[in-house]
Amino acid sequence: MTVTSVAATALTDLDVDAIVVGIAKGADGPVPLGGTGPLDSALGGRLARILADLGATGAAGDTVRFATLGTLTAPTVLAVGLGDHSTFLRDAETDHEALRRAAGAAVRALAGTTRVATTLALAGGEASPSSLRAAAEGSLLGAYAFDSLRAASTRPAPVQEIVLVVEEPAAVAAAEAALARAVIVSESVALVRDLVNTPPSHLSPARLAEIAVERAGAVGVEVTVLDEDALADGAFGGLLGVGQGSVNPPRLIRLRYAGAGEKTAGEGDSESTGSGDGAAVAATDLALVGKGITFDSGGLSLKPPVAMEWMKSDMAGAASVLASVIAAARLGLAINLTGWMPCAENMPSGEAIRPSDVITLRGGKRVEVLNTDAEGRLVLGDALARASEDHPALIVDVATLTGAQIVALGTRTSGVMGRGDAPDAVVTAAGRAGETVWPMPMPAELRKSLDSVVADLTNVAPGGNRDAGMLLAAHFLAAFVPEEIPWAHVDIAGPSWNGGEAYGYTPKGGTGAIVRTLVQLAEDRAATS
């Protein structure tokens, strides 16, 4: 666990192992940014020259490390690039993602170092709550490592302590508030990374439910778990159908955080009994639904071996919902928030669901399953139908749903679809949180591709037609949310997993993508409720 603190101590006197400073790419070489003045003075005004001689460019993510040779208490300085100088200064007040990524890159480069101080919150000038938050988040996210299953790790340990440097003692209180929020959000992102990185041998649907009870229950969130018998009683045919091929039975996990206080129907809020599988729910401001396929073999529509290698990540949506509800509770947000985690393992066996089978989902809609590898939408259909019964003001589902998302938007940009003003709310929250999402359409003419000759709808277009797969999947989900409820669907298939090298604050493996957006969305709604 990496710990953090704030200091207004003179840079030259900091008792740390390394100091991180920001530089930018200028027309004539690297340009030292805000917070580097004391270091430049200690070096006799030669900081820019030293950086240039060491080959520093100031390009985003570029790092250069040098010894201070007794000019500072700290023995090492690491300079990290924030990109073009004029562009960084122009965006410094409104866009802190470059700062967040630079902080992550710096801390990753300093793995094996115990205590690090960073001046990056000062890079754009005077430290603001948003720049402090970005520097803290980037640093903490960059210090992540997943070593719990290694018998012995040969990798350098992550940085153990990070100190945020501010210039004035009066700024410490505001910095500590920003830091406290950043710690909660970063720990929530790390929880998702841990769960996504955990192999399916260690994370069945039942085990994920146990973790939800442990982690969410510890912060006062009410957790209800429906096992296979309760799912049968509740007519959750999607979860039961997807899970029937596995020896590990499915679970539906419900998380309830009542930060705004339960209201009565007399106060003007709709109320639902929850149809027998939970206590009465009133005034749900936001419902989050996350796909939780703990391993996806494709079922009888078996995936190729290479495509299965990272399918332990197919529960990233459910993990994101769990982490976001926990963060909302820890932040004490004044919002009533319900999370739904439909969890199953999609495996081939003599008991598995077959192509052309018809199953009945929650609410009574019958689905002809043409492709058992399009299973996520089946479990989400159950959960969306159940979430809708509480008449929430807004539903957002997140899922590693389609390979089409990766084809359309790549591995760093999530797709957002839906109805009403819900997609715009998600896009706005993502922009404030520093995550990249892109609104996508739902052309009406695509819906007829899901017409079935034997049931209400199919789960994919017949004949293996993969055109507009991401958009068509959203149309399927829309069938389980009543028209009057604002709803957004976020496809995180690519962004949830980094199969390449680490970059910025993003490690290899599970990324924790979309958690910051969901937490920001909850904060935005709490502020306006």
Side-chain angles (χ1 to χ4, degrees), residues 264-319:
T264 67
E267 294 178 275
D269 294 298
S270 60
E271 222 175 284
S272 168
T273 63
S275 301
D277 53 56
V281 177
T284 299
D285 302 308
L286 174 62
L288 301 177
V289 180
K291 172 186 171 184
I293 303 299
T294 55
F295 184 74
D296 182 17
S297 70
L300 292 181
S301 304
L302 198 65
K303 292 179 183 289
V306 173
M308 262 192 267
E309 289 181 0
W310 54 295
M311 282 302 101
K312 64 181 181 179
S313 69
D314 214 19
M315 37 59 67

Side-chain angles (χ1 to χ4, degrees), residues 146-151 194-211 214 248 294-295 312 315 345:
F146 183 74
D147 286 329
S148 61
L149 298 180
R150 293 176 180 269
D194 284 348
L195 291 172
V196 170
N197 287 330
T198 299
S201 57
H202 292 61
L203 193 68
S204 64
R207 177 56 187 147
L208 184 52
E210 290 173 354
I211 292 171
E214 294 165 6
N248 296 308
T294 55
F295 184 74
K312 64 181 181 179
M315 37 59 67
E345 187 175 69

Side-chain angles (χ1 to χ4, degrees), residues 1-2 108 111 140-159 187 189-203 207 211 215 312-313 315 319 497-498 502 505-512:
M1 176 65 69
T2 301
R108 282 196 304 104
L140 289 165
L141 294 174
Y144 174 82
F146 183 74
D147 286 329
S148 61
L149 298 180
R150 293 176 180 269
S153 179
T154 58
R155 297 187 296 192
V159 171
E187 288 178 352
V189 173
L191 171 59
V192 176
R193 291 175 176 179
D194 284 348
L195 291 172
V196 170
N197 287 330
T198 299
S201 57
H202 292 61
L203 193 68
R207 177 56 187 147
I211 292 171
R215 299 294 294 268
K312 64 181 181 179
S313 69
M315 37 59 67
W497 179 264
N498 176 27
Y505 53 76
T506 302
K508 188 168 184 172
T511 66

Side-chain angles (χ1 to χ4, degrees), residues 201-245:
S201 57
H202 292 61
L203 193 68
S204 64
R207 177 56 187 147
L208 184 52
E210 290 173 354
I211 292 171
V213 170
E214 294 165 6
R215 299 294 294 268
V219 295
V221 173
E222 177 189 340
V223 185
T224 305
V225 179
L226 303 188
D227 63 14
E228 59 268 39
D229 293 331
L231 292 174
D233 291 341
F236 291 96
L239 272 160
L240 291 168
V242 172
Q244 72 188 43

Side-chain angles (χ1 to χ4, degrees), residues 317-499:
S320 298
V321 168
L322 172 61
S324 299
V325 174
I326 289 173
R330 293 181 65 191
L331 290 168
L333 300 185
I335 186 173
N336 288 344
L337 176 61
T338 303
W340 297 94
M341 301 165 59
C343 301
E345 187 175 69
N346 187 25
M347 297 290 285
S349 75
E351 300 293 328
I353 193 170
R354 295 157 294 224
S356 78
D357 277 355
V358 173
I359 60 175
T360 304
L361 271 64
R362 175 83 174 194
K365 282 191 173 65
R366 294 186 173 179
V367 178
E368 182 183 9
V369 179
L370 298 182
N371 187 328
T372 65
D373 194 23
E375 84 299 326
R377 63 200 70 185
L378 301 177
V379 303
L380 285 173
D382 271 347
L384 286 168
R386 175 60 189 89
S388 297
E389 293 169 15
D390 294 335
H391 309 291
L394 172 65
I395 296 178
V396 177
D397 77 78
V398 292
T400 51
L401 204 61
T402 66
Q405 179 277 320
I406 302 173
V407 173
L409 297 174
T411 59
R412 301 191 188 185
T413 302
S414 300
V416 182
M417 293 136 280
R419 66 167 72 104
D421 59 3
D424 288 341
V426 173
V427 171
T428 298
R432 296 184 64 189
E435 295 195 284
T436 306
V437 303
W438 195 258
M440 299 294 289
M442 291 177 59
E445 68 273 12
L446 291 178
R447 172 59 185 83
K448 64 183 179 182
S449 298
L450 296 177
D451 288 345
S452 169
V453 297
V454 298
D456 297 308
L457 70 167
T458 60
N459 72 329
V460 295
N465 184 356
R466 302 181 68 183
D467 293 350
M470 173 171 54
L471 314 184
L472 199 60
H475 271 293
F476 180 92
L477 298 179
F480 298 90
V481 182
E483 288 280 349
E484 65 270 16
I485 299 179
W487 157 74
H489 160 60
V490 189
D491 195 330
I492 60 171
S496 67
W497 179 264
N498 176 27

